[in-house]
Amino acid sequence: MKEPKNFTKTDTGNQWSEWYRELSVQGIENPRFFSQYENTKVFDNTGVLLGRLKDMAIRSGEAMLEVSSIVYATNILGEKVIMPMSNVGSFNGSINLNIAKEVIPPGKLSENEMLMTETILDKQIVDIDGLKVVRVNDVMLARVKGILSVIGVDVGFKGILRRLWAPSITEKLFAKLPNQIIPWSYIDPLDPELRKIHLNISRKNIQDLHPADIADILEELDNKERLLILGSLDDETAAEALGEIEPDVQDTVINNMESENVADLLENMNPDDAADILSRMPEERATEVLEKMDAEDASDVKELMEYSEKSAGGIMTNLFLSVPSGTKISDVFSIIRESCHDIDMIYYVYVLNGEEHLIGVLSIRDLLLAGSDQIIDDVMETEVLSVLPSSSTDEVANLLSKYDFLALPVVDENGVMLGIITFDDVMDYIIPGDVKKHLPKNYPKSRRMH
Amino acid sequence: MKLNILNNFNTGLSKLKMRNIALFLAVIGPGIITASVDNDAGGITTYTLAGAHFGYGLLWTLIPITIALIVAQEMCARMGVVTGKGLADLIRENFGVKATILLILGLVLANFGNTMAEFAGVAASMEIFGVSKYISVPIAALLVWLLVVKGTYSVVEKIFLMASGFYITYAISGLLSGPNWGVVATNLVVPTINDSPEYLLLLVGMVGATIAPWMQFYIQSSIVDKGIKLSDYKFTRLDVIIGCLVTDIVVFFIILTCATTIFSNGIRVDTAKDAALALFPLAGNYAASLFAFGLFNASVFAASILPLSTAYCVCEGIGWDSGLDKSFKDAPHFYTLYTLLLVVGALLILVPNAPLLIIMWISQVMNGMLLPFVLIFMLVLINNKKLMGEYVNSRLFNIVAWSTSIVMILLTAMILLMEIF
């Protein structure tokens, strides 16, 4: 993933000046803020005062958002007049039109024009880099190839100060306070319909983030925005991201979705996560969703829903790698290649007899070291440590940490294998959510991707 | 009268399908909690004095007050469900920076004073039980802080719902005081007008205590936090209506208790604490203790929600990160603001000779000055088709909402004038 240069962290102001240099290379000079244009006087070509600038209309140009019209009002409650930029003569300190007051046509917004105050100013942007939602406090404008265009947005506190009173004085008084600018080229209007949320990263890149990071972003947003982002991901990424979200947020998201889409998502989730979500739903809805799910996935999930969430059965998954006893080692490899695409934990191979009883286990390491024509029963470990579905999560955690296992098998009273519990499922129970938030900053980056 | 309505309502509810009841239980919370918190220390003092000074004379105001409360709360609940944004968010996006910042400044001032009033309530109610304020206030502040900062949303909501349940102590107090039900029923529906300035002040005070600006922000934020679906909106509406009804039934019992005991014995009281103390010989230890505990519960409850609501609102409006599910590092402004409001509010109560009355007075005035703006913003937003689509106010609802707002604004203006002159 290409890291966008982040101009929002202007601790020193250096990056800011770097971007500035870049702008002047492109022939962009003297950027100014919307707040500095706001309330400037508008005169007609004979110098008659018409009103003050209140807003600008924008439309997408070749590379940038171009300012296509200005909007001025004669007084606070006065009618707003929309004036195409073609009628605007000069733009220095005051705005002078090149037509006379008498011939001003009644302006209207065209199809592709939008008002700055309705689409950008004061709206939210999801800052994917900082994993938070920020607000646009001011808009940065400059002439690009002679056309006034939007080149960035200010999401810092200085933008608010500038909007509150005399922008030029604010600039002087708070010269030390950094501007927090996000260049417009990094901003992606996520939803042309709603016109209210933007991402400061292109959408195809959100797909490239780790699901756990997408989950962090989703937790920050409101419902409509969550659904938008989830909708823009492929099913698998969406499901993984949803699996990483705090349970109460999960429920909220799921509650607001059509059962059809919920079923699609749950099919792509680990059955144990899906079971947790379903067991928190009202019964009728859960049944409805299960009916819409793929039969095989649904039966996996149903099996797991019988167990209480705080027991071993509640956190186990029934996707594990098992082979029938008597299999040749070379055949085990082909079984893995054929059937393990959905299975996360393939470090252990569980050996089951005809009645599905767990009779042995071996690790991938043992498997690699074994001769290819040996029978699995000869190399497997027959003393298998397992837990019952009713065992407590604490007990499972203790066993996993004591023996340094990556997973533990779960068997019923008769020895029939039901599923496995992986160490990361137990982690979620041992490490409370707020500790996870305090992990070192670089932790997500250093995480092993599997 | 009210009880009958509630009984009919209950029998109506039993005819509902079990499924609907389950759905209702899932969305219940924000409406009931917000309406309950409305009966905070200041509110309870007002109702206590209304009963103690004018007996059943002010009971008739409860029905119009309940309607006004339902209208205001329902509009915010609807905006929260439809837009998925808090009220401060919407105001910032539709009215710009200047209006938002002014509103936020006013709200912070008003809520700071209100928070202090809650801690004053904690101090007063625990003094009835012989606990010094130097013990009760710091402990209450610490407990509130721990609950809100360390608790998860669902735990906090459950505890808040429990606190809402504790208001039943007032109903028990009221029943124990042995009112004359016939007279009560008449006074509930037949307005009695008394032209003394004190009567007028209490009447306006009761209305002002009912609809506070911060409640509108709080209910909308908590509905957004809970993430209620549009298709479940009918249950949220029920949540709001039940909350307002139950809350005003509590008010009814507070007035009732003080009217049957203090007023009919001709005793003069000036504070909720005096009233509770006066109840001991009149209504018995049991009723009086319940009454005092009710005040304590209400004060702690409101002290936990007010600073929280303020912090949410400021951060939403300015665009800082906010939310209890974030760490201090991610949302420093939010936590700092919340902690400051709570700690300074509690500390000032403990300062000997602090100008408490002046601060509370200013906060009441700020409340009054903010309310018209908040109501008008709400009405403009809820009638904005771009935001609300088909969920804009119907004509009838608009008539009710606008007239409620205008009456509220006029009454608040009266309070302000009375307060100032």
Side-chain angles (χ1 to χ4, degrees):
Chain A
M1 175 185 147
K2 188 174 134 283
E3 277 287 319
K5 262 180 282 173
N6 183 4
F7 296 103
T8 57
K9 294 183 190 150
T10 44
D11 314 321
T12 55
N14 285 346
Q15 288 165 304
W16 167 234
S17 52
E18 185 189 323
W19 184 49
Y20 223 77
R21 267 200 304 277
E22 224 172 274
L23 287 177
S24 44
V25 169
Q26 293 169 17
I28 299 171
E29 297 288 347
N30 302 329
R32 291 181 75 200
F33 289 102
F34 174 76
S35 57
Q36 293 168 300
Y37 289 110
E38 201 178 16
N39 288 326
T40 43
K41 291 177 178 163
V42 179
F43 297 98
D44 78 348
N45 61 354
T46 57
V48 177
L49 178 62
L50 299 171
R52 285 168 176 270
L53 183 131
K54 292 291 169 200
D55 203 345
M56 293 177 175
I58 44 183
R59 63 164 178 242
S60 25
E62 278 169 44
M64 297 262 178
L65 269 185
E66 296 172 356
V67 176
S68 51
S69 313
I70 58 165
V71 180
Y72 65 84
T74 42
N75 58 45
I76 288 185
L77 298 169
E79 189 145 353
K80 296 204 164 144
V81 182
I82 295 166
M83 178 64 56
M85 284 298 274
S86 54
N87 294 338
V88 177
S90 66
F91 230 128
N92 311 322
S94 64
I95 296 166
N96 298 298
L97 305 182
N98 52 19
I99 52 171
K101 188 181 175 183
E102 292 73 29
V103 293
I104 288 175
K108 275 179 75 171
L109 284 184
S110 63
E111 273 293 291
N112 55 2
E113 282 186 305
M114 302 171 290
L115 287 176
M116 181 106 73
T117 51
E118 278 184 8
T119 47
I120 306 178
L121 212 57
D122 295 323
K123 300 297 177 277
Q124 290 181 320
I125 285 187
V126 186
D127 181 345
I128 300 228
D129 203 66
L131 293 183
K132 62 177 190 226
V133 178
V134 291
R135 219 175 252 293
V136 176
N137 296 326
D138 207 347
V139 178
M140 198 180 206
L141 302 152
R143 289 200 174 272
V144 182
K145 294 175 190 157
I147 304 167
L148 192 65
S149 310
V150 172
I151 58 167
V153 295
D154 185 346
V155 296
F157 194 65
K158 200 169 169 184
I160 289 198
L161 292 173
R162 229 186 285 111
R163 292 269 304 284
L164 284 178
W165 59 304
S168 45
I169 300 176
T170 305
E171 279 295 328
K172 287 195 182 73
L173 271 183
F174 298 99
K176 285 266 187 292
L177 197 70
N179 278 309
Q180 298 184 316
I181 310 285
I182 301 176
W184 187 256
S185 46
Y186 290 150
I187 292 178
D188 173 37
L190 190 65
D191 172 41
E193 291 281 309
L194 272 178
R195 299 176 170 183
K196 65 165 196 182
I197 180 181
H198 310 276
L199 290 173
N200 78 338
I201 190 171
S202 71
R203 203 179 331 174
K204 72 174 187 297
N205 287 347
I206 192 169
Q207 193 80 20
D208 301 338
L209 291 174
H210 190 285
D213 290 334
I214 301 178
D216 280 345
I217 295 167
L218 290 174
E219 283 174 9
E220 298 282 332
L221 300 175
D222 68 39
N223 260 318
K224 276 190 181 163
E225 295 158 356
R226 285 176 190 147
L227 294 178
L228 269 173
I229 293 210
L230 278 174
S232 72
L233 301 169
D234 63 55
D235 275 351
E236 198 162 326
T237 316
E240 281 186 39
L242 192 62
E244 298 274 358
I245 300 181
E246 297 292 319
D248 48 350
V249 181
Q250 264 178 358
D251 294 349
T252 304
V253 171
I254 295 279
N255 268 334
N256 282 283
M257 284 181 148
E258 296 302 318
S259 303
E260 198 68 54
N261 303 343
V262 176
D264 287 343
L265 276 181
L266 295 190
E267 280 171 15
N268 282 292
M269 264 186 169
N270 283 333
D272 48 335
D273 291 342
D276 288 346
I277 291 178
L278 281 165
S279 58
R280 290 195 304 264
M281 269 187 211
E283 206 163 319
E284 281 198 28
R285 179 131 207 255
T287 322
E288 194 183 338
V289 171
L290 279 166
E291 277 166 9
K292 291 198 161 73
M293 278 170 77
D294 178 86
E296 198 179 323
D297 289 324
S299 76
D300 277 352
V301 173
K302 270 189 216 153
E303 252 171 57
L304 294 172
M305 281 175 71
E306 293 161 18
Y307 305 106
S308 116
E309 212 168 325
K310 290 191 169 54
S311 69
I315 56 171
M316 76 179 180
T317 173
N318 42 16
L319 294 177
F320 54 90
L321 168 52
S322 66
V323 295
S325 94
T327 312
K328 257 173 69 178
I329 295 291
S330 55
D331 294 340
V332 175
F333 284 110
S334 47
I335 290 177
I336 295 179
R337 269 191 291 273
E338 275 161 33
S339 63
C340 287
H341 291 289
D342 285 342
I343 299 178
D344 279 343
M345 170 54 71
I346 58 165
Y347 187 74
Y348 299 117
V349 183
Y350 297 98
V351 185
L352 307 184
N353 67 9
E355 282 85 56
E356 303 257 309
H357 288 203
L358 175 62
I359 56 168
V361 64
L362 79 165
S363 66
I364 287 284
R365 184 169 182 272
D366 302 335
L367 192 68
L368 292 170
L369 297 177
S372 56
D373 27 18
Q374 278 184 289
I375 300 295
I376 199 160
D377 301 52
D378 302 336
V379 283
M380 73 186 184
E381 175 65 58
T382 50
E383 290 291 316
V384 191
L385 193 71
S386 65
V387 289
L388 290 169
S390 54
S391 311
S392 71
T393 42
D394 285 350
E395 186 186 335
V396 176
N398 284 336
L399 287 172
L400 280 169
S401 73
K402 180 177 173 187
Y403 295 103
D404 283 341
F405 287 150
L406 298 179
L408 266 183
V410 183
V411 298
D412 69 7
E413 293 82 356
N414 310 321
V416 173
M417 177 141 180
L418 302 168
I420 57 170
I421 299 174
T422 57
F423 78 99
D424 50 334
D425 286 339
V426 175
M427 286 277 274
D428 284 345
Y429 280 81
I430 300 175
I431 301 185
D434 53 354
V435 176
K436 273 191 273 184
K437 298 251 184 249
H438 296 162
L439 291 169
K441 251 280 174 252
N442 58 358
Y443 178 78
K445 310 270 189 295
S446 61
R447 221 172 1 204
R448 192 170 49 87
M449 306 278 285
H450 53 229
Chain B
M1 164 81 202
K2 275 233 163 99
L3 285 173
N4 282 340
I5 293 176
L6 202 70
N7 282 337
N8 291 337
F9 182 76
N10 277 337
T11 47
L13 203 67
S14 60
K15 288 175 197 155
L16 290 173
K17 280 189 278 176
M18 278 311 291
R19 167 166 183 264
N20 281 351
I21 293 175
L23 280 171
F24 173 65
L25 289 176
V27 300
I28 196 170
I32 288 176
I33 290 171
T34 312
S36 298
V37 172
D38 184 25
N39 289 338
D40 63 345
I44 287 174
T45 304
T46 310
Y47 312 132
T48 304
L49 298 185
H53 296 179
F54 295 99
Y56 302 139
L58 278 158
L59 277 182
W60 64 272
T61 57
L62 284 180
I63 293 174
I65 280 177
T66 310
I67 293 170
L69 184 63
I70 291 175
V71 167
Q73 294 277 286
E74 192 279 340
M75 286 199 296
C76 283
R78 185 153 29 113
M79 276 194 276
V81 175
V82 174
T83 63
K85 285 179 181 289
L87 187 54
D89 262 328
L90 290 178
I91 289 175
R92 169 76 195 262
E93 293 191 358
N94 291 277
F95 300 99
V97 175
K98 282 190 178 127
T100 312
I101 297 281
L102 282 173
L103 191 76
I104 283 175
L105 284 176
L107 206 68
V108 169
L109 269 175
N111 289 357
F112 175 66
N114 291 340
T115 308
M116 282 186 47
E118 308 312 336
F119 281 114
V122 171
S125 60
M126 289 314 282
E127 275 167 1
I128 297 169
F129 296 114
V131 179
S132 147
K133 68 178 182 181
Y134 294 102
I135 295 169
S136 62
V137 170
I139 289 180
L142 183 68
L143 283 180
V144 162
W145 188 86
L146 283 176
L147 165 75
V148 172
V149 173
K150 300 291 172 202
T152 61
Y153 179 82
S154 57
V155 170
V156 173
E157 189 182 57
K158 284 192 184 79
I159 291 183
F160 283 173
L161 275 172
M162 225 164 64
S164 309
F166 280 136
Y167 281 94
I168 196 162
T169 56
Y170 282 116
I172 301 170
S173 272
L175 293 172
L176 289 173
S177 66
N180 178 342
W181 290 108
V183 183
V184 170
T186 323
N187 273 295
L188 193 57
V189 283
V190 182
T192 40
I193 302 293
N194 175 327
D195 59 1
S196 74
E198 199 197 356
Y199 181 87
L200 217 53
L201 190 65
L202 272 174
L203 177 107
V204 177
M206 279 185 60
V207 178
T210 308
I211 303 185
W214 66 270
M215 292 175 58
Q216 314 309 322
F217 288 93
Y218 183 74
I219 192 169
Q220 198 165 329
S221 294
S222 57
I223 284 201
V224 171
D225 260 358
K226 199 162 172 143
I228 290 162
K229 232 187 350 180
L230 256 178
S231 56
D232 290 343
Y233 179 63
K234 50 183 182 293
F235 298 108
T236 290
R237 185 173 264 177
L238 199 60
D239 178 36
V240 169
I241 292 171
I242 291 177
C244 296
L245 283 176
V246 171
T247 297
D248 286 343
I249 289 170
V250 169
V251 176
F252 165 83
F253 277 114
I254 295 173
I255 296 178
L256 192 75
T257 310
C258 297
T260 30
T261 52
I262 301 169
F263 177 73
S264 50
N265 285 288
I267 297 168
R268 178 79 202 179
V269 295
D270 289 317
T271 63
K273 184 185 165 187
D274 291 351
L277 289 171
L279 282 179
F280 277 92
L282 298 173
N285 289 354
Y286 214 62
S289 302
L290 283 173
F291 196 89
F293 176 77
L295 177 63
F296 172 74
N297 174 57
S299 307
V300 174
F301 190 15
S304 41
I305 286 190
L306 258 164
L308 184 62
S309 157
T310 317
Y312 265 119
C313 179
V314 172
C315 294
E316 267 176 28
I318 292 184
W320 287 325
D321 249 0
S322 66
L324 290 172
D325 53 355
K326 297 198 173 47
S327 65
F328 183 88
K329 209 176 62 195
D330 288 337
H333 302 101
F334 174 76
Y335 281 103
T336 309
L337 197 64
Y338 172 73
T339 310
L340 268 181
L341 281 168
L342 196 71
V343 172
V344 179
L347 277 180
L348 276 179
I349 295 292
L350 302 181
V351 174
N353 310 327
L356 293 188
L357 283 173
I358 292 175
I359 294 173
M360 287 181 201
W361 178 78
I362 289 175
S363 77
Q364 283 307 316
V365 172
M366 286 306 305
N367 263 348
M369 284 168 70
L370 282 177
L371 190 67
F373 293 104
V374 175
L375 287 174
I376 289 168
F377 279 150
M378 275 165 52
L379 280 159
V380 171
L381 288 170
I382 199 137
N383 284 307
N384 179 342
K385 269 220 159 9
K386 272 186 189 162
L387 280 179
M388 300 294 294
E390 57 182 303
Y391 292 90
V392 289
N393 270 1
S394 62
R395 176 175 297 225
L396 176 71
F397 209 91
N398 260 336
I399 291 170
V400 177
W402 271 109
S403 35
T404 302
S405 305
I406 288 165
V407 170
M408 291 290 306
I409 290 166
L410 288 176
L411 285 175
T412 330
M414 275 174 58
I415 289 199
L416 288 182
L417 291 175
M418 286 183 188
E419 293 262 8
I420 289 164
F421 301 110

